[in-house]
Amino acid sequence: GKKVSEFAKNFPFEDRFNKMPVGAEKYEDVKKRIGDFLYDIDQKYSGKNILIISHATPIMMLLSAAQGLDSHSSMKLDMDAYINNSEIRTVKFSKFPHNAEYELDLHRPYIDEVKLKCSCGGEMSRVKEVMDVWFDSGAMPFAQDHYPFDTPRKGLFRKEVLSYPADFISEAIDQTRGWFYTLHAVGILLGKGKAFKNVICLGHILDGEGKKMSKSVGNVVDPWSMMDKYGADALRFWMYSVNQPGDSKNFEEKTVDEIVKKVFNLAGNALTFYLMYGDKSEVEGKKLKAESQNVLDKWITARMDEVIETVTKGMDAYVFQEPTRVIRDFIADLSQWYLRRSRDRFKGADVADKEAAIFTMQYILITLAKVMAPFTPFFADYLYQNAGGRLESVHLEEWPQAGKVDLELIEAMKVVRDLASKGLEARMTAKINVRQPLASLKVKEMFLASNGNQKSKMSQQALQRFTQLIKDEVNVKEVIFGAAIQTDVLLDLNITPELKEEGMVRELVRAVQDLRKEKGLSVSDLAALTVETNTDGQNFIQRNKTQLSAVCSVSDVKFGSVVGEGVTIGDLIVKLSIEK
């Protein structure tokens, strides 16, 4: 006596397997009834073609019972492959071990019903006697090769080619007294010695407080939902890098999220930047690893050699925590130093330097994909294919070989970055925006000698080739080494009118670039800029129009009325509008 819409509202489709109105069959009941019918009619009319005519839901439950689907899979079949009116569909059916709900179940007693045909013409059934299951597992290396017997497939499984011992074995820590032990025991009893050369023993995954996960306690984390949210590679990399394989792992979602941000997002951003400026058609066919003279290219290549060397040693020793952490640190260096300091090179007019940066970046991305492949197989393939890898998959590539690691260059860059960091800290203390150029940065005479260990002590002459990096990072006109000052570094805080205007230009450039992003303009899109400001602002923009146009890809700058809020540029209020 009620409407169909009311029924649908109270009993949505996905709930009908276990929930229906009083007096109505649940889908679970329909499946049991139809499953009984299916097995009964198959027995009565064995070897015959049988035509079954029914309503849609009983037919869908018949298809589910024929395939041994559980309730979740049955509902998915209903939603994905619902039978149409008057449709004829073939049911592929054979008897299989199932429980009372006609779900596939390979355990006893259901498995006992399975009979197999023997090559002798007879029928085989499961024997009642079961030998110790741990002995069965220990016999695995021999049983898989049918040792010491021959088989009908002569030459394939012969005792001469027994795969023993294994190179490595991997299982959870609870297998120590189980599988790990019985493999050795059976092998020694047969006179073959140890069963494996290396073992990777895995700790258990606990909740965030280090407690065992339990449904009754309510602290179980669904791995499928985590993989849907973060990806399988993120969970895999987290397990490799959070601690040693044998240690228990306290699962906290925020630590997986951190892995995504610090590894996958940064590497993905590096790829995006390369694709924005790198021309695949130009790079393909040329030497991937450019022999660049730029110190940044040399440094990131040296770091890549260091990573290859560390990861290779770790993999050869079946150690994973150190290699994955080295990869994480390298990606941070690639994104937060190499790319940031090379950004202008990708956009610059120096064709040779731009080409060197592009070639180096492609080499780094493809090589990074190779070393990440064992740990993050899906992301590594994505990185490899998009960066211009030449094979169908990164997993078909040869393992990369490290060149001689330039440790002196790597140590030198650490000193340079430390020096730049101290310069930026000094700017923050003085509350001067990093876009405001300053005249100089003085470096204490003893800073270099006291920085780090003996190997990292550097002369002022050795630092000269890094001077431009320090200037660009700290935004100063001059770096003065060996100064007699009290602190490690000292900034000249005197801002001349010329320096102030240069800083204002940088602020204006940033404002225009932000507008370009809001408009969705690409790097190659030219844009027309409209500016509303006072006479001083117009004079300022006219003086710096050439630089503004070149850096921001602006084809025309005009003055007029602009709707919206103004931007503070030094002492000026400027309103901006941009169109493609």
Side-chain angles (χ1 to χ4, degrees):
K2 297 184 179 182
K3 295 180 179 180
V4 173
S5 59
E6 190 175 349
F7 165 71
K9 180 180 178 181
N10 288 278
F11 299 94
F13 186 76
E14 58 271 17
D15 292 344
R16 294 176 195 172
F17 216 88
N18 300 304
K19 180 182 176 184
M20 284 294 249
V22 176
E25 275 186 311
K26 298 190 290 287
Y27 279 22
E28 181 182 56
D29 300 327
V30 178
K31 186 182 176 188
K32 288 180 183 178
R33 177 164 60 83
I34 298 299
D36 290 342
F37 160 75
L38 180 64
Y39 275 73
D40 180 58
I41 201 171
D42 178 71
Q43 184 176 357
K44 287 182 180 179
Y45 302 101
S46 179
K48 301 289 185 180
N49 290 327
I50 305 167
L51 175 64
I52 301 169
I53 303 174
S54 184
H55 295 287
T57 297
I59 289 176
M60 295 310 297
M61 292 303 103
L62 184 146
L63 294 172
S64 298
Q67 297 177 54
L69 303 181
D70 59 19
S71 58
H72 176 76
S73 299
S74 297
M75 296 306 293
K76 191 174 188 305
L77 179 68
D78 254 29
M79 290 184 281
D80 295 345
Y82 201 71
I83 191 164
N84 295 318
N85 192 30
S86 301
E87 179 184 347
I88 297 175
R89 193 175 296 185
T90 302
V91 182
K92 294 181 180 179
F93 170 71
S94 59
K95 291 182 178 178
F96 55 85
H98 61 84
N99 58 21
E101 286 73 38
Y102 287 94
E103 298 172 343
L104 177 67
D105 195 329
L106 301 177
H107 299 90
R108 295 185 67 187
Y110 315 114
I111 193 67
D112 292 346
E113 299 175 10
V114 177
K115 310 296 180 183
L116 302 176
K117 290 182 180 180
C118 179
S119 58
C120 66
E123 186 179 70
M124 295 187 291
S125 59
R126 192 191 67 79
V127 296
K128 295 181 179 179
E129 297 80 12
V130 177
M131 197 170 182
D132 179 72
V133 293
W134 287 117
F135 176 83
D136 287 351
S137 72
M140 180 277 295
F142 307 101
Q144 70 173 355
D145 285 348
H146 203 210
Y147 178 87
F149 310 103
D150 287 333
T151 72
R153 295 180 289 173
K154 287 187 179 294
L156 183 58
F157 297 133
R158 298 293 296 265
K159 56 187 177 183
E160 305 95 84
V161 293
L162 183 66
S163 302
Y164 195 91
D167 288 322
F168 80 96
I169 189 171
S170 177
E171 255 295 353
I173 196 168
D174 50 309
Q175 296 288 359
T176 303
R177 291 184 298 169
W179 195 29
F180 295 162
Y181 169 77
T182 54
L183 282 166
H184 281 327
V186 174
I188 290 171
L189 286 172
L190 288 176
K192 296 295 182 181
K194 63 183 181 182
F196 46 86
K197 301 172 186 176
N198 300 278
V199 58
I200 303 172
C201 190
L202 308 175
H204 291 143
I205 299 179
L206 309 175
D207 71 7
E209 298 179 358
K211 298 177 181 177
K212 182 180 178 181
M213 292 189 186
S214 169
K215 288 184 179 180
S216 60
V217 176
N219 61 346
V220 174
V221 177
D222 181 7
W224 299 109
S225 64
M226 290 295 100
M227 281 187 274
D228 288 342
K229 186 173 182 180
Y230 298 107
D233 277 355
L235 288 181
R236 197 192 325 266
F237 199 89
W238 172 81
M239 291 181 193
Y240 285 135
S241 60
V242 68
N243 57 18
Q244 295 295 348
D247 295 335
S248 297
K249 292 160 177 55
N250 296 356
F251 184 83
E252 293 183 273
E253 187 175 343
K254 65 180 181 181
T255 58
V256 180
D257 183 62
E258 184 179 339
I259 287 289
V260 171
K261 291 174 180 174
K262 291 187 175 181
V263 176
F264 298 95
N265 287 0
L266 287 184
N269 291 342
L271 174 64
T272 300
F273 182 85
Y274 166 74
L275 294 177
M276 188 181 299
Y277 295 99
D279 185 350
K280 276 190 184 180
S281 61
E282 180 183 313
V283 173
E284 287 174 359
K286 294 188 178 182
K287 190 176 181 182
L288 264 182
K289 188 174 179 181
E291 297 298 331
S292 172
Q293 297 306 307
N294 187 289
V295 69
L296 280 167
D297 295 340
K298 287 181 175 294
W299 169 73
I300 198 65
T301 302
R303 284 284 288 116
M304 189 79 259
D305 286 334
E306 186 179 36
V307 169
I308 294 171
E309 186 177 87
T310 303
V311 174
T312 302
K313 286 180 180 177
M315 295 292 281
D316 287 345
Y318 297 92
V319 174
F320 308 114
Q321 185 183 18
E322 289 78 7
T324 48
R325 290 191 174 184
V326 164
I327 290 172
R328 182 191 62 192
D329 294 343
F330 175 81
I331 291 172
D333 283 350
L334 175 67
S335 174
Q336 297 167 7
W337 185 250
Y338 177 78
L339 266 185
R340 193 167 83 247
R341 292 276 47 91
S342 296
R343 190 175 297 271
D344 291 339
R345 298 173 58 211
F346 283 84
K347 309 174 189 177
D350 187 336
V351 176
D353 192 45
K354 178 179 180 180
E355 190 176 72
I358 291 173
F359 288 179
T360 301
M361 190 64 181
Q362 189 189 45
Y363 163 74
I364 292 298
L365 290 173
I366 289 178
T367 308
L368 177 62
K370 292 177 185 178
V371 297
M372 290 183 74
F375 311 104
T376 60
F378 302 119
F379 181 79
D381 231 4
Y382 164 78
L383 191 62
Y384 175 83
Q385 292 172 8
N386 282 278
R390 296 170 188 180
L391 299 181
E392 183 181 357
S393 168
V394 69
H395 305 292
L396 300 176
E397 280 278 8
E398 295 290 331
W399 184 254
Q401 300 298 313
K404 184 179 179 181
V405 181
D406 191 341
L407 293 176
E408 184 179 342
L409 176 58
I410 292 172
E411 289 296 327
M413 194 63 81
K414 286 180 181 177
V415 175
V416 170
R417 294 180 70 178
D418 186 29
L419 180 56
S421 178
K422 288 183 179 294
L424 292 174
E425 287 175 9
R427 291 188 74 109
M428 290 180 62
T429 302
K431 297 181 180 180
I432 297 177
N433 192 302
V434 74
R435 283 184 293 278
Q436 173 59 60
L438 295 174
S440 67
L441 174 72
K442 294 180 180 179
V443 181
K444 187 177 181 179
E445 185 175 5
M446 295 302 295
F447 172 79
L448 301 177
S450 63
N451 190 75
N453 55 35
Q454 290 293 324
K455 289 183 179 180
S456 67
K457 290 180 181 178
M458 299 175 62
S459 66
Q460 296 174 26
Q461 291 76 17
L463 265 184
Q464 291 302 320
R465 60 175 174 159
F466 301 98
T467 301
Q468 192 59 48
L469 287 179
I470 302 169
K471 289 180 181 179
D472 292 341
E473 181 71 3
V474 187
N475 194 10
V476 294
K477 297 296 182 182
E478 184 182 13
V479 178
I480 303 169
F481 297 110
I485 54 178
Q486 296 299 314
T487 57
D488 288 335
V489 297
L490 182 65
L491 286 168
D492 183 348
L493 303 179
N494 179 37
I495 301 174
T496 64
E498 293 77 15
L499 289 173
K500 182 177 181 180
E501 178 150 328
E502 190 176 335
M504 291 170 63
V505 172
R506 292 197 176 204
E507 292 286 355
L508 179 61
V509 166
R510 182 193 181 192
V512 174
Q513 297 288 35
D514 288 344
L515 274 181
R516 289 183 64 92
K517 287 181 181 179
E518 290 176 15
K519 288 287 185 179
L521 300 183
S522 68
V523 176
S524 59
D525 289 335
L526 289 175
L529 181 67
T530 303
V531 183
E532 180 181 342
T533 184
N534 58 19
T535 303
D536 290 339
Q538 291 183 14
N539 292 333
F540 160 69
I541 290 173
Q542 288 289 7
R543 287 195 302 272
N544 299 284
K545 183 178 178 180
T546 302
Q547 181 182 351
L548 179 65
S549 299
V551 176
C552 299
S553 298
V554 171
S555 59
D556 184 32
V557 179
K558 58 185 179 181
F559 299 103
S561 179
V562 176
V563 177
E565 295 183 2
V567 178
T568 302
I569 307 292
D571 301 327
L572 305 172
I573 301 295
V574 177
K575 291 185 179 180
L576 303 170
S577 174
I578 199 166
E579 295 296 335
K580 183 176 177 181

